[in-house]
Amino acid sequence: MPNITFSHPDYKDKTVYAVAGSHTETILKIARENKLPIQFDCQDGECGTCLVRVTHLGKTKPKGGPLTVKEQTVLQELGKLTADEIEQMSVDDFPPQWRLACQMIVRDEDLLVEYGVN
């Protein structure tokens, strides 16, 4: 099970254990279950309110999971990713640091999730 450390400039960091491999445990779902105040509106990857910066903490290659089409669109609209960066990520199979908490599925890897750092 991975450890996920949630960090916000105004709150004490909190590390939680997450269930990996369920294919349903998003960063937002884990945060809400642990009463962490990540902002969200739509929970469907369309508004960008739940923007987080994710840092892989392991020694192995980050797993991160692919961006959804909605996530790609919103991250481009927010200026966090360019079309060239999205193309390069698909070639390198390397996840970006900016994600939407409602879209990123947790894999078996330790993460630092920074929220409130838009």
Side-chain angles (χ1 to χ4, degrees), residues 36-102:
L36 293 156
I38 292 180
Q39 297 296 311
F40 65 92
D41 284 333
C42 73
Q43 299 183 66
D44 193 38
E46 295 181 2
C47 71
T49 305
C50 65
L51 179 70
V52 294
R53 183 170 36 214
V54 178
T55 304
H56 172 76
L57 298 177
K59 294 180 182 177
T60 60
K61 182 180 174 185
K63 298 174 185 163
L67 296 172
T68 64
V69 173
K70 288 180 184 179
E71 195 172 16
Q72 289 177 20
T73 301
V74 171
L75 290 173
Q76 279 187 283
E77 289 171 356
L78 293 173
K80 299 299 181 183
L81 287 178
T82 65
D84 289 340
E85 290 170 324
I86 290 171
E87 178 66 27
Q88 192 61 45
M89 285 182 299
S90 67
V91 171
D92 295 340
D93 192 29
F94 196 82
Q97 71 172 343
W98 293 103
R99 300 296 301 259
L100 298 180
C102 70

